């Protein structure tokens, strides 16, 4: 049982920059990002991969977390998360940090949508090979999406940018096929992957609906890169939520690896966005 005095014991804090550096430097699955806000707040905007456990229910749900993993707790501005961090420390969690300033202080792309968004794409018992095929389809859909935009754009600079983004997805597809060969029994020819008919963009979006909604926001390089980062952020969040749902340890490892690839891609897009916008920070 938690000692009451633990509620009044200071816990370690991280500011937004320290938290971002921590997440960038750690492998997905090796730490817990805990959101103690309410479901409506989470749906509006949340950090990719954050596990939602509202503070009022935390005493009933915290046992689902691994007390051996570093845990970064956040809320809107840092008040609820400080209390939650103190509670977790009292329950024996070994390394707990409060995100000072909360999600409002965190600079960078965030995901949106409820916890269950697009989880209907998986059941939770998928094999690593099945997850890779699903991911391949989403990468392929995004490649085709960018290629379509390249064909439709009258602007040469945007044509070049869409072409680069499409080639990044091609490299991701090749990487997925390599990983598939490592986990699938008996192997599979690349030709069979070519038969996959992509239906859903990375992050779980329908390509036709997404283009209709966002076409007006694809007129400049900065807008394109910002939208691309949003897609990759949603993909990172989706892979991590898939991992949280999966009951297969090897499948979770594959999903954590996919999430790591998305983090690297986000960093590259961020650098390119800085270059195009002329802004830093």
């Amino acid at each position: 049982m938690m000692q009451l005095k633990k509620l009044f014991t200071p816990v370690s804090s991280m500011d937004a920059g320290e938290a971002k550096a921590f997440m960038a430097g750690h492998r997905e699955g090796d730490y817990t990002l805990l959101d103690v806000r309410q479901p409506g707040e989470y749906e509006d905007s949340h950090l990719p991969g954050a596990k939602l456990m509202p503070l009022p229910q935390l005493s009933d749900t915290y046992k689902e977390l691994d007390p051996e993993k570093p845990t970064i707790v956040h809320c809107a501005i840092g008040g609820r998360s400080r209390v939650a961090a103190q509670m977790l420390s009292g329950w024996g969690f070994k390394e707990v940090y409060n995100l000072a300033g909360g999600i409002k202080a965190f600079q960078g792309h965030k995901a949106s949508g409820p916890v269950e968004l697009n989880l209907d794409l998986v059941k939770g018992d998928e094999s690593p090979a099945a997850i890779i095929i699903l991911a391949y389809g989403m990468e392929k859909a995004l490649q085709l999406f960018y290629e379509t935009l390249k064909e439709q754009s009258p602007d040469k600079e945007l044509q070049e940018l869409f072409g680069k983004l499409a080639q990044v997805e091609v490299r991701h597809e090749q990487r997925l096929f390599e990983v598939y060969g490592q986990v699938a029994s008996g192997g599979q020819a690349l030709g069979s992957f070519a038969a996959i008919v992509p239906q859903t963009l990375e992050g779980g979006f329908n390509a036709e609906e997404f283009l209709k909604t966002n076409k007006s926001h694809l007129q400049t390089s900065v807008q394109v890169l910002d939208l691309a980062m949003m897609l990759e952020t949603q993909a990172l969040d989706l892979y991590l939520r898939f991992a949280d749902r999966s009951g297969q340890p090897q499948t979770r490892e594959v999903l954590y690896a996919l999430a790591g690839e998305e983090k690297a891609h986000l960093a590259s897009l961020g650098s390119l966005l800085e270059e195009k916008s002329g802004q830093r920070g």
Side-chain angles (χ1 to χ4, degrees):
M1 181 176 294
M2 181 182 63
Q3 297 177 7
L4 185 60
K5 67 179 182 180
K6 286 286 189 180
L7 284 175
F8 304 98
T9 301
V11 294
S12 298
S13 293
M14 288 183 174
D15 63 27
E18 291 169 331
K20 184 179 289 188
F22 181 96
M23 288 184 275
H26 285 73
R27 179 181 172 277
E28 294 302 330
D30 288 348
Y31 65 95
T32 300
L33 189 58
L34 181 64
D35 189 332
V36 295
R37 298 174 301 156
Q38 292 300 112
E41 294 174 283
Y42 176 98
E43 182 172 349
D44 182 62
S45 176
H46 60 267
L47 301 182
K51 189 172 183 65
L52 177 64
M53 287 187 177
L55 182 59
Q57 288 84 50
L58 187 59
S59 61
D60 297 321
T61 57
Y62 79 93
K63 290 183 180 178
E64 299 173 21
L65 305 174
D66 187 346
E68 301 297 320
K69 290 182 179 179
T71 302
I72 302 175
V73 193
H74 70 278
C75 61
I77 58 175
R80 282 171 286 177
S81 58
R82 184 179 64 252
V83 173
Q86 290 170 327
M87 293 169 69
L88 292 173
S89 178
W91 287 323
F93 281 63
K94 293 187 174 179
E95 189 177 347
V96 184
Y97 303 96
N98 176 44
L99 177 57
I103 194 170
K104 290 187 177 180
F106 195 92
Q107 299 297 313
H109 279 71
K110 304 175 183 72
S112 61
V115 173
E116 66 274 11
L117 180 66
N118 294 318
L119 288 185
D120 57 342
L121 295 171
V122 297
K123 296 179 180 178
D125 60 355
E126 284 79 9
S127 67
I131 282 292
I132 291 170
I133 289 173
L134 174 62
Y136 184 96
M138 291 193 289
E139 300 275 1
K140 185 70 173 179
L142 191 53
Q143 174 205 335
L144 297 175
F145 177 75
Y146 286 139
E147 289 176 349
T148 298
L149 291 174
K150 178 182 178 181
E151 292 174 1
Q152 294 178 353
S153 177
D155 185 283
K156 288 186 177 181
E157 182 182 4
L158 288 181
Q159 288 175 7
E160 181 180 350
L161 180 56
F162 286 132
K164 286 181 179 179
L165 292 172
Q167 284 305 305
V168 169
E169 299 308 319
V170 170
R171 291 195 291 273
H172 283 187
E173 293 159 31
Q174 293 170 340
R175 174 61 182 151
L176 283 169
F177 183 67
E178 292 171 4
V179 176
Y180 183 90
Q182 298 168 11
V183 302
S185 58
Q188 185 168 333
L190 184 58
S192 61
F193 265 57
I196 296 173
V197 179
Q199 301 290 334
T200 306
L201 295 178
E202 276 191 293
F205 296 98
N206 174 276
E208 186 176 344
E209 293 175 359
F210 187 84
L211 180 57
K212 181 185 291 187
T213 302
N214 293 284
K215 195 166 186 178
S216 62
H217 303 296
L218 294 168
Q219 305 305 310
T220 69
S221 295
V222 170
Q223 288 177 326
V224 168
L225 287 166
D226 191 65
L227 205 64
M229 290 186 72
M230 184 273 285
L231 281 168
E232 298 299 337
T233 301
Q234 291 291 140
L236 169 60
D237 183 59
L238 184 59
Y239 286 144
L240 290 172
R241 286 186 292 113
F242 281 171
D244 190 53
R245 183 168 183 169
S246 178
Q248 304 287 338
Q250 190 180 11
T251 300
R252 282 199 300 273
E253 288 302 309
V254 167
L255 285 162
Y256 288 144
L258 290 174
E261 298 263 352
E262 297 303 333
K263 283 171 65 174
H265 190 191
L266 268 169
S268 297
L269 286 171
S271 296
L272 188 55
L273 180 59
E274 279 190 356
E275 176 187 322
K276 293 291 184 181
S277 66
Q279 298 176 352
R280 305 193 67 85

